[in-house]
Amino acid sequence: MARYIAKRLVYMMLVFFLLTFILFVLYHLMPANRAYTDARTEIQTMKRLSEEEKATKFDELYLKYQRMYGTDTDNNLILYLRWLGLYPFYDGHYSGIFQGDFGFSYDYNLPVIDVVPVHMRNSFLIGLITEIAVLGITIPLGIKCAVKKNSRFDRFTQFFTLIGFSTPSFIIYIVFIVFFCSILGWFPVSGMKTPGANYTGWREALDVLHHVALPTICLTFGSLASITRITRASMIDALNLDCIRTARAKGLSEKVVIYSHAWRNALIPMVSIIVGGFFGTISGAMILETMFGFKGMGLLFLNAMRNADYDMIMFLEVIYTFLGLFSNLVIDLCYGIVDPRVRISK
């Protein structure tokens, strides 16, 4: 096990460097130049200089900021290594990701490391609640549909889930907003807390949960259809296995056959969906967060793209890359736990 994890970690590091280098080069092509912008902003404050003096001074300021940001070269490899903190700047110092310098957000006027944790916490909160709700509903529902295959309950569930599976997510969000917010008035339309309220303690937590409730319901509803149908299909395949027939022939009760034998086999193809869905939600739901004004990772990334916030974009891409690689490792380890036949020690 330890050897396998060590090999996977090495593999993850190689893929991480490759993907981040490609992303770095691509985003470096964006028409955004921090050194030029800062030099132009500073030169505009020097109103007493003539045009010739401003041009000369601008060249000096531009070179100064280029050296400060480490962009005084066109070599993408050197720029990437400086961004990682593995290549020295003009004056010989190192400043990059490995030194804890993840860049500066001009949109928030703060280091990106101070901005991201709040948004990640919000996405993690809604992702965790959604995952618990989805699994608590879809697994029993899918199992019951498989056990009662072709019954009225199964046909009704399949019809209902087909509607949810076929409806675009933004349509679901609009319908839920109109029904629960405009008509019933149960939930606020957007935001993370009541404007102007200074709640503390439990009152603050309840206020946040009240605002998070509807986005969570929307995400849960959007995931019910696909996971229920997958659970049903996996259980139907598992119930037709020879080992299940043998278990029934031995006289085991139906509950033991379903929940101890069949469900264990049905869980194997669902591991990637369950684990991947959780990490995907942490990465942010861009459409949902935009419509509900929910300050999560998806909305943060969208605003960074709109405002060409280069350092923020790169840091978020690093997080997304890490989450993708880490989730694959967790999925492989879960396969070994769920199915003893899967060897993960090699």
Side-chain angles (χ1 to χ4, degrees):
M1 174 72 77
R3 184 180 177 183
Y4 172 80
I5 294 177
K7 290 173 62 177
R8 285 299 303 269
L9 290 176
V10 173
Y11 162 78
M12 287 171 58
M13 290 298 296
L14 294 175
V15 175
F16 174 83
F17 286 125
L18 177 61
L19 291 179
T20 52
F21 177 72
I22 295 173
L23 292 170
F24 181 87
V25 173
L26 290 176
Y27 283 117
H28 190 67
L29 298 175
M30 293 176 60
N33 192 327
R34 291 174 55 190
Y36 180 87
T37 302
D38 290 352
R40 177 61 63 185
T41 301
E42 185 172 344
I43 204 69
Q44 288 176 351
T45 63
M46 304 176 181
K47 298 181 180 180
R48 295 184 179 181
L49 299 179
S50 64
E51 294 300 325
E52 294 182 357
E53 292 175 332
K54 284 185 177 181
T56 304
K57 188 66 176 177
F58 174 78
D59 292 336
E60 296 176 0
L61 291 173
Y62 185 42
L63 180 60
K64 182 189 78 172
Y65 282 112
Q66 278 186 313
R67 289 174 174 175
M68 181 187 300
Y69 300 137
T71 57
D72 53 331
T73 178
D74 293 330
N75 190 317
N76 286 321
L77 181 58
I78 293 178
L79 292 173
Y80 173 70
L81 292 175
R82 282 178 173 172
W83 175 70
L84 289 176
L86 300 176
Y87 194 90
F89 279 62
Y90 173 78
D91 57 357
H93 81 285
Y94 292 80
S95 181
I97 288 179
F98 289 103
Q99 287 76 33
D101 182 8
F102 296 96
F104 187 83
S105 172
Y106 277 74
D107 190 25
Y108 290 89
N109 198 29
L110 289 170
V112 295
I113 194 64
D114 295 335
V115 178
V116 172
V118 177
H119 293 77
M120 180 173 285
R121 180 194 64 193
N122 295 336
S123 291
F124 179 80
L125 174 64
I126 194 173
L128 181 62
I129 297 174
T130 301
E131 193 74 4
I132 293 173
V134 168
L135 296 181
I137 297 173
T138 57
I139 290 178
L141 193 61
I143 293 175
K144 188 172 183 179
C145 288
V147 174
K148 297 182 178 296
K149 181 181 176 182
N150 296 326
S151 64
R152 290 184 179 180
F153 176 82
D154 180 41
R155 288 197 294 268
F156 173 78
T157 303
Q158 292 304 300
F159 174 76
F160 181 75
T161 55
L162 182 61
I163 295 176
F165 188 78
S166 305
T167 306
S169 59
F170 68 91
I171 297 295
I172 295 175
Y173 304 155
I174 293 174
V175 172
F176 275 52
I177 289 174
V178 172
F179 184 73
F180 288 105
C181 299
S182 300
I183 298 177
L184 298 179
W186 289 358
F187 303 107
V189 177
S190 64
M192 287 289 297
K193 63 180 182 179
T194 303
N198 295 317
Y199 299 134
T200 58
W202 280 105
R203 188 63 186 273
E204 181 183 9
L206 291 174
D207 185 55
V208 172
L209 291 176
H210 184 220
H211 283 75
V212 171
L214 187 57
T216 303
I217 293 172
C218 290
L219 280 179
T220 302
F221 184 82
S223 303
L224 287 179
S226 58
I227 299 181
T228 300
R229 297 174 73 88
I230 293 171
T231 305
R232 176 183 179 274
S234 298
M235 276 297 296
I236 290 175
D237 291 339
L239 289 171
N240 291 323
L241 294 174
D242 292 338
C243 61
I244 302 302
R245 297 191 184 95
T246 303
R248 283 173 172 162
K250 289 182 177 180
L252 296 178
S253 66
E254 192 66 15
K255 286 186 178 181
V256 173
V257 171
I258 293 172
Y259 295 104
S260 180
H261 295 276
W263 167 239
R264 188 73 177 269
N265 288 277
L267 188 60
I268 298 172
M270 294 183 60
V271 168
S272 59
I273 298 172
I274 295 172
V275 178
F278 175 68
F279 282 100
T281 308
I282 295 177
S283 301
M286 193 174 297
I287 298 177
L288 178 132
E289 292 174 11
T290 302
M291 296 185 68
F292 284 95
F294 186 82
K295 295 182 180 179
M297 294 289 285
L299 186 60
L300 180 64
F301 182 77
L302 181 61
N303 289 334
M305 291 292 292
R306 287 173 176 172
N307 301 320
D309 199 351
Y310 176 75
D311 287 348
M312 180 65 74
I313 294 172
M314 281 306 305
F315 184 51
L316 292 177
E317 290 291 357
V318 168
I319 295 175
Y320 293 153
T321 302
F322 174 78
L323 287 176
L325 294 173
F326 183 71
S327 65
N328 285 330
L329 175 61
V330 174
I331 289 171
D332 289 343
L333 295 177
C334 288
Y335 277 135
I337 296 173
V338 172
D339 188 358
R341 295 170 298 180
V342 177
R343 299 289 300 273
I344 60 174
S345 59
K346 295 184 178 181

